[in-house]
Amino acid sequence: MKNIILLCLTVACAASAQSEACESRTVQTAQGPVRGYKNDDKDIFFFYGIPYATAPTGTRKFTATAEAVK
């Protein structure tokens, strides 16, 4: 899922603003690096796919969430 989001962001950056490069910023978190992309209209960075927790699925469906997998 994270790869699909990054692919979509990359395609959107490539398609935007007639050959201008999309500015990005990578920040280091406890779970690993996260890349954000600048929104030119609002002059801020958007970060997608931040790993907060692992979803409780299967036999863990009704239990508390676990830490995100690196």
Side-chain angles (χ1 to χ4, degrees):
M1 182 69 166
K2 189 186 318 184
N3 292 335
I4 293 171
I5 292 172
L6 288 175
L7 177 64
C8 290
L9 286 172
T10 303
V11 170
C13 288
S16 70
Q18 296 134 3
S19 76
E20 286 185 25
C22 185
E23 187 177 349
S24 67
R25 179 174 294 167
T26 303
V27 294
Q28 191 66 27
T29 67
Q31 288 79 27
V34 179
R35 178 171 291 189
Y37 296 91
K38 187 173 183 183
N39 181 321
D40 294 329
D41 297 334
K42 298 180 181 175
D43 198 31
I44 59 174
F45 284 86
F46 287 91
F47 293 85
Y48 298 100
I50 299 174
Y52 290 106
T54 301
T57 58
T59 59
R60 296 182 50 245
K61 186 169 184 167
F62 297 106
T63 63
T65 57
E67 288 188 24
V69 177
K70 291 184 181 182

